[in-house]
Amino acid sequence: MSNAEVFVGEIIGTAILILFGAGVVAAVVLNYSKAKDAGWVVIAFGWGFGVMAGAYTAAPLSGGHLNPAVTLGIAIDTGDWDQVHIYVAGQMVGAMLGAFLCWLVYYAQFRANAEEDIAQPTLGIFSTSPTIRQPVANLVTEIIATIALVLPILAFGLTKGLGESGTAILIVSFLVVGIGLSLGGPTGYAINPARDLGPRIVHSLLPIPNKGTSDWEYAWVPVVGPMIGAALSGLLFNAAF
C-alpha cells in the first residue's frame, strides 16, 4: 500500500466511523431528533456499525485501521513503523471531517438546542467525558478497554480464514459494540485517540451557539490511555502468542 493510498483510505474510513458514531449520539441526545432518548444500546450499536462501514470502505486502500491505537499495536507486533505517521495523520483528518459532517447533518437540531431555555452541552456528541472525574481511574478504564480491543484484533490475525473471508472486520465491529456495552459506562470508551481528539478540536471551532466547554483539561486521558493500552497489547501479544 502506497503512502497516498493509506492516507486517503484512513481519511475516508475514519470520517465514516465518526459520522456514524457522533451521528448516533446526536440522534439520541438532541431535542427534535426522531431517535431522542433511544438509549445506550443504540449508541453502542451505532458506533459498531460505524466501525464496520468505515473499515470495510477503507480496507482496500489502507487495511482500515481507523485508530492510532490499532496502528500502534500492529506496529509493535510486526516491527514495521514506516507508515505509522501516515496512518495517524489520515485518521486525525478523517475524524475531524466526520465530526464536521455530523454537525451539518444535525445543524437544525443544534440550532434548536441553543434556543432551549437551558441549552444542553454538546461536547458529548463529539468526544468522551467521564461520569466520575478521577483521572487515574479514568486512565485505567481507557487502558483496559483498549487492550480489550487491540489484543483480540491482533489475535484475529492468527486465523487466516478471517482475513480471507472478509469477516474479521465484521467481528471487530461486534467487538466494539461489546466494549461499549460492557466497559463504556465509566468514560464513554474512547479507545481511539483520533476518535476523541479530532472531534474535540472540531467542537472547539464550530459556531455552535451555547455549546459549552470542549474540556481540554480532560482531553489527554482518551489519548494517552488508548496508546498505553495499545502498547501493552502489542507487547503482550508478542510475549504470549
Side-chain angles (χ1 to χ4, degrees):
M1 299 175 185
S2 69
N3 287 346
E5 288 175 327
V6 168
F7 186 63
V8 172
E10 291 298 296
I11 289 175
I12 294 172
T14 310
I16 292 172
L17 164 64
I18 301 302
L19 177 60
F20 274 57
V24 72
V25 180
V28 170
V29 305
L30 287 176
N31 291 325
Y32 309 106
S33 164
K34 292 181 181 294
K36 173 69 174 174
D37 295 328
W40 186 252
V41 174
V42 169
I43 289 174
F45 272 94
W47 276 104
F49 289 138
V51 170
M52 181 176 65
Y56 272 123
T57 304
L61 291 173
S62 65
H65 293 189
L66 316 186
N67 183 344
V70 171
T71 300
L72 177 60
I74 292 173
I76 291 174
D77 172 39
T78 63
D80 184 0
W81 295 84
D82 290 346
Q83 293 182 309
V84 167
H85 63 295
I86 305 296
Y87 274 96
V88 174
Q91 291 154 4
M92 282 296 299
V93 173
M96 295 176 71
L97 175 59
F100 177 74
L101 293 174
C102 172
W103 173 68
L104 289 180
V105 171
Y106 284 92
Y107 179 81
Q109 281 72 29
F110 279 112
R111 295 286 298 180
N113 173 65
E115 294 166 1
E116 296 290 321
D117 292 336
I118 301 177
Q120 63 189 103
T122 57
L123 178 61
I125 294 169
F126 296 88
S127 296
T128 62
S129 60
T131 54
I132 299 175
R133 188 173 293 260
Q134 294 184 357
V136 174
N138 303 149
L139 185 69
V140 170
T141 296
E142 287 293 331
I143 291 171
I144 293 172
T146 306
I147 292 173
L149 172 70
V150 176
L151 187 60
I153 288 176
L154 295 176
F156 294 160
L158 297 176
T159 304
K160 186 177 180 180
L162 289 179
E164 292 177 346
S165 66
T167 55
I169 290 174
L170 179 62
I171 294 173
V172 171
S173 303
F174 281 107
L175 173 63
V176 170
V177 174
I179 291 171
L181 295 176
S182 299
L183 307 176
T187 62
Y189 72 116
I191 60 175
N192 181 339
R195 166 263 178 279
D196 194 275
L197 181 58
R200 194 181 298 268
I201 293 171
V202 171
H203 177 267
S204 71
L205 298 174
L206 283 174
I208 304 173
N210 300 324
K211 64 184 175 183
T213 177
S214 297
D215 196 9
W216 290 107
E217 182 179 355
Y218 178 77
W220 67 275
V221 172
V223 172
V224 174
M227 296 307 279
I228 293 174
L232 292 175
S233 296
L235 293 172
L236 179 59
F237 183 80
N238 280 340
F241 289 88

